[in-house]
Amino acid sequence: MGRVDVAIVGAGPVGAALAALLAPGGRSVRVLEARAAPSRDARTLALSQASRECLEQAGGWPATGVTPIVDIHVSQKGGPGRTLITAAEQGLEALGYTVAYASLEETLERRLADLGAAVAWGAPCEAIDLGPETARLRLAGGEVVEARLVVLADGGVNARRIPGLAYSEKDYGQVAITGPVRADRPHHGRAYERFTPGGPVALLPVGERYSLVWTATPAQAERLLALDEAAFLAELQAHFGDRAGRFVSAGPRAAFALRLRTINSTIALRTVIAGNAAQAMHPIAGQGLNIGLRDAAALAAILASDPGCDPGAPAVLEAYRSARRRDAGRGVAFTDFLVGAFMDDRRLPTWGRGAALTVLDLVPAARRWLAGRMIHGSPSA
């Protein structure tokens, strides 16, 4: 039986970053991943400046595959109002960054290997037995790992095994179409968020192109995915407008359903639930992974504040829940509000959305407050 201080289930960015934050402090850490090998996913991630700071502290910030976002242009289709949120107004070099998932994955893998906390690939958890002193994880093949603290950062697969934990889910009835597109003029680090009656459309700067996130109904998404490149670009141009220039090419497209999922408690006996295992949300405000990395940073800070503590003790778990309740809860509520407010005229009419955007554009303090919350989240107290 292998014994460790902390067993982390899930080697995605949140689980890997947490391991990289904990291992230098002297705690024994083991990372267990059900996948047989790294994904080398082609996705592009949107990370805030605070997430960069967390990953730099973990030694996991990539040297390649990173594009700064220096400002964000926000507007709505079919109505007035727009605003521009800039890094300069925040006193930052960048509001955030787009990062190649594969580059981040490789960087964190190397860091964990250097720290002696390499990921155990192909190690799915088949059972969890939580006791007052330790937790036991039974892996496929029969191996048992005993840990004083278990962190579930696996997207929610194993939390369902624990009595008392349950998820609430909300289906938005939307699909996000993603893929690379190019425009006929450089982006200069600008991202776009355009709200439309059918859902938001985002363009994120990636290298010399954009990463597109186009929200649509399932039926619309099916039709858009079936279009050839020229027809797709024409539809995108008509839907988005010409703020970013003329769209000249599009790469392979993919789609995924959009849902909100939250867990009823982020802690259980000897257990912490973090990242997408705790909250999975609409990408409208780019908060999902950023909140997950703040989960990891908060837990690492709590454990670092008392290096000799029992990492799974009730007081430690309660400190984590208290530290994360406000930020995660407000992030979920804000994201859910935006989805409804910019799609449902009964909740916020077009003129109301326009007024809100105009206030943001005219009042620098309001922009700074909003940008600060998007970058750093809500304070714990």
Side-chain angles (χ1 to χ4, degrees):
M1 181 185 298
R3 290 181 172 84
V4 293
D5 291 321
V6 183
I8 300 171
V9 181
V14 172
L18 176 60
L21 288 168
L22 293 179
R27 295 188 187 272
S28 56
V29 179
R30 188 162 183 198
V31 184
L32 308 169
E33 173 55 56
R35 291 174 296 161
S39 65
R40 299 299 182 254
D41 198 309
R43 284 180 296 163
T44 298
L45 304 172
L47 298 178
S48 68
Q49 176 64 27
S51 290
R52 172 174 181 162
E53 292 166 6
C54 170
L55 289 165
E56 285 181 331
Q57 182 183 353
W61 185 249
T64 60
V66 175
T67 303
I69 299 173
V70 298
D71 54 51
I72 304 173
H73 186 284
V74 186
S75 63
Q76 68 166 332
K77 183 179 181 180
R82 46 79 70 194
T83 193
L84 187 67
I85 300 172
T86 69
E89 193 170 62
Q90 298 296 312
L92 300 171
E93 293 184 3
L95 293 169
Y97 305 84
T98 57
V99 178
Y101 186 100
S103 181
L104 177 59
E105 189 177 50
E106 290 173 1
T107 304
L108 285 168
E109 283 172 36
R110 288 195 298 270
R111 176 60 174 165
L112 291 178
D114 291 343
L115 292 170
V119 177
W121 299 98
C125 180
E126 293 190 338
I128 302 176
D129 180 19
L130 302 177
E133 301 300 326
T134 61
R136 291 187 177 187
L137 308 178
R138 190 178 75 244
L139 309 182
E143 182 186 358
V144 174
V145 175
E146 189 174 86
R148 294 198 291 167
L149 172 65
V150 172
V151 179
L152 300 180
D154 58 351
V157 175
N158 284 289
R160 300 177 191 274
R161 302 179 189 272
I162 298 177
L165 294 183
Y167 286 101
S168 297
E169 297 194 8
K170 179 178 181 179
D171 190 340
Y172 289 116
Q174 296 179 324
V175 172
I177 300 168
T178 62
V181 296
R182 287 182 180 270
D184 64 355
R185 64 186 188 216
H187 53 64
H188 299 300
R190 174 167 293 180
Y192 293 87
E193 184 90 49
R194 185 154 173 79
F195 295 98
T196 80
V201 182
L203 291 174
L204 304 174
V206 179
E208 296 181 351
R209 58 176 175 82
Y210 290 103
S211 176
L212 168 70
V213 182
W214 183 349
T215 307
T217 66
Q220 290 169 335
E222 184 177 2
R223 183 181 64 81
L224 291 169
L225 290 171
L227 296 176
D228 63 25
E229 182 182 11
F232 179 78
L233 290 171
E235 293 244 8
L236 175 60
Q237 197 75 63
H239 190 65
F240 184 82
D242 60 2
R243 282 174 169 77
R246 305 301 298 178
F247 298 111
V248 297
S249 67
R253 286 158 260 160
F256 59 92
L258 297 175
R259 298 182 178 89
L260 170 64
R261 189 189 69 217
T262 56
I263 200 163
N264 61 335
S265 175
T266 55
I267 62 172
L269 184 63
R270 296 254 158 214
T271 305
V272 160
I273 301 93
N276 276 356
Q279 61 270 318
M281 60 196 74
H282 196 291
I284 190 170
Q287 289 297 290
L289 178 54
N290 292 298
I291 288 179
L293 288 170
R294 294 201 293 271
D295 290 345
L299 180 56
I302 290 168
L303 295 180
S305 68
D306 186 357
C309 74
D310 176 352
V316 173
L317 300 178
E318 188 53 46
Y320 171 79
R321 176 162 60 181
S322 177
R324 296 302 302 138
R325 180 187 290 117
R326 186 172 181 177
D327 178 31
R330 289 189 173 186
V332 168
F334 176 63
T335 298
D336 188 49
F337 167 77
L338 285 180
V339 174
F342 280 88
M343 288 183 58
D344 188 347
D345 281 343
R346 293 171 299 179
R347 293 184 63 179
L348 189 63
T350 300
W351 65 264
R353 297 190 292 264
L357 290 172
T358 300
V359 167
L360 282 176
D361 198 48
L362 295 176
V363 182
R367 287 197 305 277
R368 287 194 294 270
W369 179 88
L370 177 61
R373 290 297 178 266
M374 293 180 68
I375 294 170
H376 299 288
S378 295
S380 59

